[in-house]
């Protein structure tokens, strides 16, 4: 699905950006020791680009992180309030009901429509594209789009192919109607999926096909599984193709892009995609070294990164692209937002009042790569 460049007077504009990260920083050696993994810090850094990630404390849920990120985005946006909430996640608080209504309730948003969207690591960009279409179509005026995941709750800590890669976190944007010439304006989107690869990234047990109440044939089927090498090839191909499609529909030449943000899956994947697109290193942004792969949260966490925010000029032509389980992929061409990102710590309880004073960088080492 493609949306062409916004030629009319109206599109969705990012008016607020928020992030929520668990405070616990976990280095590679700690992940290795915890799982008894046959690997080392050098392998993980060289093959993935990851040095640290955040792990949520036991008891901290995806919904908790989503509330923190949503609250931070609302603070960033000032007085604006959303009339719809989309939560992109593949690690919901429970199988039923969706996590989004409880997040909306905890944010004090009343009875606005709120729903979960499952496109795994492409989920945030699926949500951004969906909310943009709803705003352009006047189904809603403002929307809060949150990407949140706690992969530590589904990854097998003894699996060396996945345990070092994933971290926990949440990021969010508040969208309002605006014009295509504004900073933060969404210009074009590209979405796609290929279900023939649905078994390449999966938690096999616990759904309607293999119900939770029946014992799995293989106990490992309760955990997240990824066929890394195959996924790697799909990720490079589909992100490159999708990003080019979004650029085409925006009517932008690649060499006019000033900020490229790919899903933070693997530094080598990001380098390959950016090289194939022809994006110069100075225009590539990410934080995989510090946060690892945070699934649906990874792209909004780059948008919300204070160091990135200080580097990219508001209004700069920007290209976001993601790939994930499903298989799914998504890309968005937009003007870099001017909204100042905010960060919140995970809320400690349902009644916690907003702490509007918190706004601190988490990645002093964040760089262009
Ligand atoms: O977020 C959704 C999308 N996710 C992705 O796009 C992730 C895609 N995949 C990847 O990032 C990479 O494929 C991995 C990081 C998972 C693996 O890296 P790789 O360079 O693709 O390794 P590989 O799968 O080609 O495996 C090479 C070797 C294998 O051993 P053999 O079969 O050659 O003996 C693996 O068993 O590396 C082995 N290996 C490891 N060795 C040490 C895999 N993981 C590790 C490890 N430490 N942690």
């Amino acid at each position: 699905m493609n949306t062409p460049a916004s030629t009319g007077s109206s599109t969705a504009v990012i008016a607020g950006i928020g992030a929520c990260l668990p405070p616990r920083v976990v280095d590679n050696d700690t992940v290795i020791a915890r799982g008894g993994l046959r690997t080392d810090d050098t392998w993980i850094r060289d093959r993935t680009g990851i040095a640290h990630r955040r792990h949520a404390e036991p008891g901290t849920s995806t919904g908790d992180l989503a509330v923190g990120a949503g609250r931070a985005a609302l603070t960033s946006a000032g007085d604006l309030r959303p009339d719809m909430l989309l939560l992109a996640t593949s690690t919901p608080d429970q199988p039923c009901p969706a996590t989004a209504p409880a997040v909306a309730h905890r944010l004090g948003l009343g009875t606005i429509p709120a729903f979960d969207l499952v496109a795994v690591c492409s989920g945030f960009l699926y949500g951004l594209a969906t909310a943009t279409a709803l705003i352009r179509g006047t189904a809603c005026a403002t929307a809060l789009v949150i990407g949140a995941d706690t992969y530590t709750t589904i990854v097998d800590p003894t699996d060396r192919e996945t345990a070092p890669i994933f971290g926990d976190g949440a990021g969010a944007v508040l969208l309002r109607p605006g014009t295509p010439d504004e900073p933060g304006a969404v210009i074009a989107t590209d979405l796609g999926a290929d279900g023939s690869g649905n078994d390449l990234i999966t938690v096999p047990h616990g759904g309607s096909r293999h119900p939770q109440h029946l014992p799995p044939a293989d106990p490992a089927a309760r955990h997240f599984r990824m066929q890394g090498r195959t996924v790697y090839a799909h990720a490079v191909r589909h992100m490159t193709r999708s990003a080019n499609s979004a650029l085409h529909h925006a009517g932008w030449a690649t060499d006019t892009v000033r900020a490229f943000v790919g899903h933070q899956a693997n530094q080598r994947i990001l380098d390959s995609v950016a090289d194939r697109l022809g994006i110069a290193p100075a225009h590539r942004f990410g934080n995989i070294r510090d946060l690892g792969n945070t699934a649906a949260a990874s792209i909004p966490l780059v948008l919300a990164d204070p160091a990135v925010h200080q580097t990219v000029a508001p209004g700069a032509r920007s290209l976001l692209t993601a790939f994930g389980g499903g298989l799914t992929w998504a890309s968005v061409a937009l003007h870099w937002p001017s909204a100042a990102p905010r960060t919140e710590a995970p809320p400690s309880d349902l009644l916690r009042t907003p702490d509007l004073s918190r706004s601190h960088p988490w990645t002093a080492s964040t760089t262009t790569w």
Side-chain angles (χ1 to χ4, degrees):
M1 182 189 92
N2 299 308
T3 60
S6 180
T7 50
S9 59
S10 178
T11 186
V13 170
I14 295 176
I17 308 172
C20 179
L21 287 168
R24 186 154 52 114
V25 178
V26 179
D27 64 17
N28 290 337
D29 287 335
T30 304
V31 174
I32 292 165
R34 179 181 176 220
L37 305 180
R38 285 183 300 108
T39 185
D40 56 63
D41 176 59
T42 304
W43 194 99
I44 297 169
R45 285 177 190 256
D46 289 351
R47 301 293 273 259
T48 70
I50 298 166
H52 303 93
R53 75 286 292 146
R54 301 295 181 96
H55 281 187
E57 297 301 329
T60 297
S61 74
T62 294
D64 294 331
L65 300 182
V67 168
R71 190 174 281 152
L74 294 175
T75 305
S76 164
D79 291 337
L80 273 177
R81 286 295 172 265
D83 52 28
M84 187 172 285
L85 189 153
L86 284 74
L87 172 60
T89 187
S90 48
T91 52
D93 284 9
Q94 60 282 313
C96 177
T99 305
V103 171
H105 171 69
R106 293 170 65 184
L107 288 170
L109 299 177
T111 56
I112 64 168
F115 59 97
D116 289 5
L117 188 159
V118 190
V120 196
C121 298
S122 310
F124 176 77
L125 292 188
Y126 258 70
L128 185 54
T130 302
T132 297
L134 292 171
I135 289 171
R136 284 181 181 176
T138 69
C140 65
T142 53
L144 181 61
V145 181
I146 306 174
D149 270 309
T150 49
Y151 263 59
T152 52
T153 62
I154 59 171
V155 160
D156 177 356
T158 68
D159 177 9
R160 71 175 180 175
E161 300 205 14
T162 56
I165 295 175
F166 289 93
D168 302 329
V173 297
L174 188 68
L175 297 172
R176 63 162 172 80
T179 55
D181 55 342
E182 293 183 73
V186 175
I187 304 301
T189 65
D190 175 81
L191 304 180
D194 177 6
S196 69
N198 79 95
D199 59 339
L200 297 177
I201 296 175
T202 179
V203 179
H205 192 77
S208 58
R209 186 174 298 283
H210 300 290
Q212 191 63 48
H213 64 272
L214 299 176
D218 172 7
R222 294 186 194 279
H223 288 292
F224 175 85
R225 285 180 180 171
M226 180 172 68
Q227 295 181 35
R229 193 179 306 188
T230 309
V231 169
Y232 188 117
H234 281 292
V236 171
R237 187 166 71 250
H238 287 299
M239 283 201 282
T240 305
R241 194 182 294 163
S242 175
N244 268 324
S245 174
L247 284 180
H248 173 75
H249 288 286
W252 291 353
T254 310
D255 62 6
T256 67
V257 172
R258 291 291 170 267
F260 171 75
V261 179
H263 167 51
Q264 304 290 289
N266 183 313
Q267 187 61 61
R268 292 184 298 133
I269 293 175
L270 292 164
D271 291 339
S272 289
V273 173
D275 288 347
R276 285 165 190 236
L277 289 169
I279 305 277
H283 303 316
R284 307 172 185 183
F285 294 91
N287 50 27
I288 188 169
R289 185 175 59 186
D290 299 303
L291 300 183
N293 181 346
T294 53
S298 90
I299 286 191
L301 282 172
V302 179
L303 294 178
D305 191 312
V308 178
H309 177 71
Q310 283 165 16
T311 309
V312 184
R317 287 186 173 184
S318 306
L319 180 61
L320 316 177
T321 187
F323 177 84
L327 302 169
T328 58
W329 53 87
S331 299
V332 173
L334 78 166
H335 294 298
W336 193 263
S338 57
R342 302 291 298 240
T343 302
E344 281 242 358
S348 55
D349 61 69
L350 292 181
L351 300 177
R352 184 173 172 275
T353 51
D355 178 357
L356 305 184
S357 65
R358 295 186 73 95
S359 181
H360 51 79
W362 62 83
T363 51
S365 57
T366 297
T367 52
T368 56
W369 36 263

